[in-house]
Amino acid sequence: VWWRGGEMDEVAECGQVLPCGHKCCGVAGEQNHFGCFEDGCDFCLLTDGKPVSECGEVGVVSGFQSGSDECGICLEELRDAPCLRLACSHVWHADCLRQQLQFVKMDRSKRISFTGSGCGVCQRLCEHPLLEDVLAPVLGVKRKVEALAWEQIKVDNLEQNESVAGADAPYKGKPLEYALHSYTFYFCGQCDEPFFGGAAACAETVSGEREIAPSERVCSSCDARGGAPCDLVDHRKAYIWKCRFCCSIATFVCYGGVHVCEACHSDGMEQRMSGTRACTPCDPSTCILPRRHAQLLHENGPGEHCEQVLVCSACFSNPSGSSASSQSRTRRCSPNLLRNNDGQHGLSGWQVVVNGGLGWAVERDQGGTASNFVSSSTWCVKRQVVDLKQVARAGGAIDRGEAVEIEVSSQYMARTDCESVYALRAFLLDSQGAVLDQFASEVLPAPPDSWETVSHMFEPREGVVCVVFEHGGKDSRFWRGHYGSKVTSCCVRVVYGDTESDPQSTNDAVDESKVDELRNAWLATEALPPQITASVIASNVRRFTRSFFR
């Protein structure tokens, strides 16, 4: 019949004669007979939704609605078609309910809600064995949400909450039910899996129920907005975040992905989110939180670019990597060693090598980023030199002569109205300025209106002292103006070995003054080993790039 084959055929009525002498008005094949709709039949009286008698080997369940009551969907009398009684005891025409539920779609842009699959009378989820096929997608999400709720129940010790454990608690002995009432869950904008998104009290505000952009709805496994202090995806739930609106440690997550401290959460968060209330600016004289490498000040505001990870507590609390599984060990990474990697501070920190057309420029609030570089009609090339000896976190390994991996990367894209190209090169230099290794991308066509990433991981090499990061772009139509490729998220970072190889380096601080000295004036060669002068770098690098940016 219809529920076994999954087809939406007309529902088959049970019709079996019950011990009361009346026919069953339910659906054929139910384990427990629905009962009859005959007025005054004592056999089918409601008894808390439990069988009141036996019909052979099959129980009989009754409800309080009569056959003359209307089906809330088709508005016809219930006795006119086979009926289902839900777990909440409300009765509907089986065919009406199945056809309505097959069109249920969950809104991905808002918090997860099962009301669309709920009983029209009490909003409780429509639970019945003969509805499981049409509700399979919803029930799958519900199981995942309940598993996430149990995780958060343990984190928040919700079973000891007065609403659950109190003598007259409204959810006494029902921690899961209370959690589903108190928490919100969202679909990740990247992997589409459910994830915990904060307290329901926040989501129930006017702006909290707004549609949330996919970039803001990100689960911990996909969230790379604040930088990754380690490369283990399983550790992302253990990240400690900075408050988006001030220089404090975040203790709440709201609206699916807004990390916020207690003070900002309880005082004007709605206004801060909407931009109608100013956020607390970073004061470098009092702020004790670490900044992104070469970042002058923390960015505090409503934008998602103000999200920042401070530390991975899993690595910090277990720096020795004592787990028996080698896969559980963390490969730690330095912060981004490039200064001004996305143009927030103009061209500061960069040496412009070629300034073709109208030269390099910086765009604000374009292409989904707070800022980015943009090239012109002919090759625009700029360079930054990273002195690894000046970086305290990397220095521990490098000073001991250990070889480390070095990753270089950037993101690029084109306008929608003009084709453009982009290229990246990087070089590893020794203490004499000689090139030990190099990477050269192809001249890459930039994708229109979509950020593409180019990256390369240098294998460990002994004697590496400096990294030269050099990239360029131009448009393909020679249009006057800044129609060339856009560039952002330029990155150079050191990738360490397992945590146990250098247990203390996670607590090392970056010497900002020395790094700024090198980045602000890379021609001031005293910050580099004395053998590596600007002319040596230019000479050794030029022979690799002479035919590259033409």
Side-chain angles (χ1 to χ4, degrees):
V1 292
W2 54 271
W3 62 86
R4 294 174 184 164
E7 300 293 333
M8 297 303 296
D9 295 336
E10 187 174 350
V11 174
E13 184 179 34
C14 175
Q16 184 173 332
V17 177
L18 302 174
C20 62
H22 306 129
K23 71 174 183 178
C24 176
C25 296
V27 178
E30 286 189 272
Q31 181 179 2
N32 290 334
H33 281 294
F34 174 85
C36 71
F37 272 136
E38 296 296 326
D39 295 335
C41 180
D42 295 334
F43 183 82
C44 295
L45 292 176
L46 173 67
T47 309
D48 295 329
K50 298 179 181 179
V52 294
S53 60
E54 297 295 324
C55 178
E57 297 180 356
V58 181
V60 180
V61 182
S62 298
F64 57 83
Q65 289 166 281
S66 69
S68 60
D69 290 334
E70 293 180 345
C71 168
I73 299 174
C74 69
L75 304 183
E76 299 291 335
E77 290 187 357
L78 289 173
R79 61 164 55 94
D80 291 343
C83 295
L84 289 180
R85 178 175 289 104
L86 303 177
C88 60
S89 294
H90 293 118
V91 177
W92 305 83
H93 283 157
D95 192 43
C96 294
L97 194 56
R98 282 182 57 85
Q99 292 191 44
Q100 177 173 278
L101 292 175
Q102 70 171 323
F103 296 109
V104 170
K105 292 184 179 180
M106 306 187 79
D107 189 347
R108 255 60 180 172
S109 66
K110 296 182 179 179
R111 60 171 171 160
I112 294 175
S113 171
F114 300 102
T115 55
S117 304
C119 170
V121 177
C122 65
Q123 300 304 310
R124 181 176 169 181
L125 186 69
C126 293
E127 295 181 76
H128 193 284
L130 304 185
L131 298 176
E132 290 180 356
D133 58 337
V134 290
L135 284 177
V138 174
L139 294 175
V141 173
K142 185 173 184 287
R143 284 190 290 269
K144 292 178 181 179
V145 166
E146 289 178 348
L148 292 170
W150 276 115
E151 289 182 10
Q152 200 62 32
I153 287 171
K154 295 176 181 178
V155 171
D156 295 340
N157 197 23
L158 208 64
E159 290 177 290
Q160 302 304 317
N161 187 283
E162 60 181 10
S163 295
V164 176
D168 298 321
Y171 293 92
K172 186 174 179 61
K174 301 177 181 179
L176 178 60
E177 187 175 337
Y178 180 60
L180 295 177
H181 170 76
S182 305
Y183 296 149
T184 59
F185 301 87
Y186 296 85
F187 288 105
C188 175
Q190 296 187 28
C191 68
D192 202 40
E193 287 294 313
F195 70 97
F196 172 70
C202 294
E204 287 167 358
T205 61
V206 174
S207 61
E209 284 287 23
R210 72 194 189 286
E211 291 187 0
I212 302 177
S215 60
E216 289 269 22
R217 289 184 289 105
V218 189
C219 68
S220 59
S221 298
C222 298
D223 197 346
R225 294 173 301 171
C230 74
D231 58 2
L232 288 181
V233 174
D234 290 345
H235 282 195
R236 291 186 177 179
K237 290 184 178 181
Y239 285 178
I240 296 175
W241 293 73
K242 182 188 79 68
C243 174
R244 181 181 289 199
F245 309 110
C246 73
C247 295
S248 300
I249 295 175
T251 53
F252 293 89
V253 57
C254 297
Y255 308 140
V258 179
H259 296 88
V260 58
C261 68
E262 184 171 0
C264 293
H265 183 268
S266 59
D267 181 20
M269 180 170 171
E270 284 301 305
Q271 291 77 15
R272 298 176 200 271
M273 280 294 295
S274 63
T276 58
R277 178 170 177 174
C279 297
T280 307
C282 178
D283 183 354
S285 65
T286 59
C287 178
I288 62 174
L289 297 184
R291 298 187 290 275
R292 294 189 181 99
H293 188 76
Q295 186 182 37
L296 300 178
L297 299 171
H298 288 121
E299 292 183 90
N300 299 330
E304 60 182 291
H305 65 280
C306 298
E307 294 281 348
Q308 180 180 343
V309 177
L310 299 175
V311 68
C312 173
S313 62
C315 299
F316 183 81
S317 60
N318 185 23
S320 63
S322 58
S323 170
S325 171
S326 62
Q327 294 181 349
S328 68
R329 297 175 181 174
T330 302
R331 302 193 67 215
R332 294 173 287 106
C333 301
S334 74
N336 186 1
L337 304 181
L338 289 179
R339 181 169 183 256
N340 186 27
N341 69 329
D342 56 7
Q344 291 184 44
H345 306 291
L347 295 176
S348 173
W350 293 90
Q351 183 212 10
V352 176
V353 180
V354 179
N355 223 20
L358 296 183
W360 284 105
V362 172
E363 295 178 330
R364 307 287 180 182
D365 300 315
Q366 299 288 321
T369 62
S371 59
N372 61 265
F373 302 107
V374 59
S375 54
S376 190
S377 55
T378 59
W379 278 112
C380 298
V381 184
K382 55 187 172 67
R383 175 190 300 158
Q384 198 169 140
V385 180
V386 176
D387 180 358
L388 299 180
K389 292 272 187 179
Q390 299 296 316
V391 183
R393 283 191 68 179
I398 293 173
D399 288 343
R400 292 193 298 271
E402 298 176 13
V404 295
E405 291 179 303
I406 296 172
E407 182 183 32
V408 296
S409 64
S410 61
Q411 291 186 313
Y412 62 97
M413 80 172 182
R415 295 167 57 102
T416 56
D417 57 355
C418 185
E419 297 175 351
S420 60
V421 294
Y422 174 75
L424 169 65
R425 287 212 163 182
F427 309 89
L428 306 184
L429 307 184
D430 65 11
S431 60
Q432 303 299 316
V435 176
L436 297 177
D437 201 354
Q438 65 161 324
F439 163 72
S441 72
E442 303 286 340
V443 176
L444 303 165
D449 204 29
S450 175
W451 291 108
E452 184 73 29
T453 300
V454 55
S455 64
H456 177 72
M457 182 75 78
F458 286 103
E459 293 297 319
R461 278 187 179 273
E462 295 183 0
V464 176
V465 173
C466 290
V467 181
V468 179
F469 182 100
E470 186 173 89
H471 65 163
K474 69 182 185 73
D475 76 54
S476 301
R477 298 184 179 179
F478 304 100
W479 286 3
R480 179 176 175 80
H482 293 98
Y483 294 90
S485 51
K486 306 169 185 281
V487 191
T488 192
S489 301
C490 305
C491 182
V492 173
R493 64 176 184 169
V494 173
V495 181
Y496 307 92
D498 293 342
T499 53
E500 60 186 5
S501 67
D502 186 12
Q504 299 301 323
S505 63
T506 54
N507 297 324
D508 291 340
V510 176
D511 189 336
E512 293 288 350
S513 62
K514 291 184 178 181
V515 172
D516 285 343
E517 179 184 356
L518 176 64
R519 302 306 191 285
N520 279 322
W522 79 275
L523 292 175
T525 58
E526 66 272 16
L528 299 169
Q531 298 89 342
I532 304 183
T533 64
S535 60
V536 168
I537 292 175
S539 174
N540 287 342
V541 171
R542 188 183 301 118
R543 61 194 179 95
F544 291 98
T545 60
R546 186 169 296 149
S547 60
F548 186 55
F549 297 115
R550 290 182 174 175

